Amino acid sequence: MALYTKKGDNGTTGKFGCDQRMSKSSAVAEALGTLDEANSYLGLCKLKAHEAQCMIDGKKVGGILHEVQDDLFIIQAEVAGADKTVSEEKVEWLEGVISELEEALPEINSFFISGGSELSTYFDFARTLARRAERRVVGVHDEGVQKIEEQTLAYLNRLSSLLYALARYANMQNGTEEAAPDYV
């Protein structure tokens, strides 16, 4: 099978199970692209977490991120029109991981400036990509172009919270103090 089809040379792409073509700048194509971007960057985070031997309660952070990447493929399939969606249990699983992290972290009193430890910085950037992907998927939902299930929207919202918690956790594990903005 060839790695290219030439079908998109005119700036269009296809949607799952549909012969119609749509612009690569459409809301669906944009949502799929940003989900792919976030998923790819999570691969880098997974590698860096593995190198740093980052663990939460005996679980490898890389394994958690791999599961998130699998879930993002399900979300991409849903956005593309497949009869797939992440389960409510997946949202609850994310909430559980976030809760474990919160128990280990100091209380939040302020926003924090990115750039603490190297791993924290990767997670901070992944969080911004996840937020953008969430906005694009919400756009698809709001425009009524494709039905997006409530638990999918909840999952994407929790994902950025997970990545924020992981950034803070990476700083704590590295002994890096978080820096709050001065606002002066």
Side-chain angles (χ1 to χ4, degrees):
M1 179 177 182
L3 294 176
Y4 60 90
T5 64
K6 299 184 181 182
K7 292 179 183 177
D9 289 355
N10 64 353
T12 64
T13 190
K15 191 172 158 188
F16 182 81
C18 181
D19 291 335
Q20 282 184 303
R21 305 290 292 170
M22 66 180 154
S23 171
K24 289 184 178 184
S25 68
S26 70
V28 169
E30 183 65 25
L32 291 170
T34 55
L35 285 165
D36 187 37
E37 215 176 334
N39 201 339
S40 295
Y41 198 79
L42 285 176
L44 182 58
C45 292
K46 180 172 62 175
L47 172 71
K48 292 296 186 178
H50 177 73
E51 288 173 357
Q53 299 178 357
C54 191
M55 307 272 286
I56 304 166
D57 287 338
K59 292 176 270 192
K60 292 182 179 181
V61 169
I64 292 167
L65 294 176
H66 186 87
E67 192 163 339
V68 168
Q69 287 180 292
D70 268 346
D71 295 342
L72 287 178
F73 273 100
I74 295 168
I75 293 170
Q76 283 180 285
E78 179 179 357
V79 171
D83 188 22
K84 302 265 184 205
T85 189
V86 292
S87 65
E88 183 62 39
E89 290 78 23
K90 291 287 190 171
V91 176
E92 292 169 3
W93 170 76
L94 269 185
E95 290 170 348
V97 175
I98 294 165
S99 292
E100 285 180 48
L101 288 163
E102 283 179 320
E103 288 176 20
L105 292 168
E107 187 176 322
I108 299 172
N109 297 319
S110 172
F111 286 110
F112 300 105
I113 297 173
S114 292
S117 66
E118 179 182 18
L119 183 56
S120 170
T121 303
Y122 281 101
F123 286 134
D124 275 330
F125 189 72
R127 176 186 49 77
T128 67
L129 293 175
R131 279 285 189 214
R132 180 164 25 126
E134 178 188 13
R135 290 190 305 270
R136 297 303 185 264
V137 172
V138 167
V140 167
H141 172 74
D142 288 351
E143 290 178 21
V145 177
Q146 177 65 43
K147 180 170 175 34
I148 306 297
E149 297 294 335
E150 287 181 27
Q151 68 269 16
T152 298
L153 299 175
Y155 186 96
L156 290 171
N157 192 39
R158 297 304 177 284
L159 177 56
S160 57
S161 297
L162 170 69
L163 295 167
Y164 178 71
L166 283 170
R168 295 193 66 224
Y169 188 77
N171 276 338
M172 185 185 79
Q173 291 286 293
N174 192 55
T176 303
E177 191 173 319
E178 297 171 315
D182 290 330
Y183 296 109
V184 288

